[in-house]
Amino acid sequence: SAVISQKPSRDICQRGTSLTIQCQVDSQVTMMFWYRQQPGQSLTLIATANQGSEATYESGFVIDKFPISRPNLTFSTLTVSNMSPEDSSIYLCSVEEDGGLWNEQFFGPGTRLTVL
Amino acid sequence: AQSVAQPEDQVNVAEGNPLTVKCTYSVSGNPYLFWYVQYPNRGLQFLLKYITGDNLVKGSYGFEAEFNKSQTSFHLKKPSALVSDSALYFCAVRDYTGRRALTFGSGTRLQVQP
């Protein structure tokens, strides 16, 4: 199974600033996803970030607020822009390994963001 | 639109007793179902999945899940609970369309008492 790391693991940020979260995978994967887990809540998909195409955002999430880069098959970044306290969440990246239609997704450890 | 319901916020069980964590789903077409577990301050870990075939699916750490198409359910089970099983459990679904992302339930906290 793919091993995924995220940086930073946690951060405390001021309102109005931006934070870029990095996701590194130990193998080449086409499909990568970014999720948000608000305090005490379930996971909500922010966007799908496949290498070689523009990220596809879910309803309620926009590129200006959550720009994503996917420069290669092992790396992606998610930026949380112009942060407000409502952005305080755990942000997780996940990947689906190539080579099958029904593979499970593997998740990174998450980035715990607190916005003051 | 697909959806997943986990009707119990928390399940309490004594160590050694069987446990069940409930999940029901709604999708158009055939479902593709998962269970994940989240330990404190850690990411999600994959437990098991159902694609097709046998309705009873076996997964990691002694967990299994039973797919019931008529009841649109995919309950997670374990014959004998361990204190170390205490964690947050998520059921998720993906349908047979091209959308690969998962839709998660609200999560169920399992508390196993010694």
Side-chain angles (χ1 to χ4, degrees), chain A residues 35-106:
Chain A
Y35 290 85
R36 181 176 74 180
Q37 186 178 19
Q38 292 178 301
Q41 303 292 316
S42 184
L43 281 78
T44 301
L45 181 68
I46 297 172
T48 300
N50 294 340
Q51 204 277 330
S53 62
E54 296 291 319
T56 304
Y57 289 83
E58 296 297 298
S59 175
F61 297 96
V62 295
I63 188 171
D64 290 345
K65 176 67 175 177
F66 297 101
I68 289 171
S69 78
R70 185 79 204 274
N72 57 52
L73 289 171
T74 62
F75 188 77
S76 178
T77 66
L78 170 76
T79 299
V80 186
S81 303
N82 188 25
M83 288 184 284
S84 67
E86 292 71 36
D87 295 319
S88 297
S89 295
I90 299 173
Y91 292 85
L92 299 105
C93 68
S94 75
V95 302
E96 181 180 321
E97 291 181 323
D98 292 358
L101 283 176
W102 313 116
N103 292 333
E104 57 270 24
Q105 288 182 22
F106 296 100

Side-chain angles (χ1 to χ4, degrees), chain B residues 3-98:
Chain B
S3 65
V4 177
Q6 294 181 243
E8 303 156 315
D9 290 337
Q10 180 156 325
V11 170
N12 298 308
V13 64
E15 187 174 32
N17 283 358
L19 69 87
T20 298
V21 182
K22 296 179 180 177
C23 171
T24 59
Y25 65 89
S26 174
V27 296
S28 54
N30 293 321
Y32 183 35
L33 296 155
F34 302 82
W35 276 101
Y36 285 85
V37 59
Q38 186 176 38
Y39 296 100
N41 300 315
R42 293 167 67 175
L44 272 69
Q45 295 181 31
F46 169 74
L47 279 179
L48 50 82
K49 65 182 178 184
Y50 171 83
I51 307 171
T52 185
D54 289 341
N55 290 337
L56 187 63
V57 178
K58 294 188 183 297
S60 305
Y61 312 122
F63 284 93
E64 57 190 27
E66 186 170 10
F67 172 70
N68 187 315
K69 188 172 183 177
S70 63
Q71 297 185 3
T72 62
S73 66
F74 189 56
H75 300 332
L76 182 70
K77 300 182 179 184
K78 188 174 182 181
S80 178
L82 300 173
V83 172
S84 57
D85 293 329
S86 298
L88 188 56
Y89 290 80
F90 290 99
C91 182
V93 67
R94 213 186 93 189
D95 64 24
Y96 274 49
T97 66

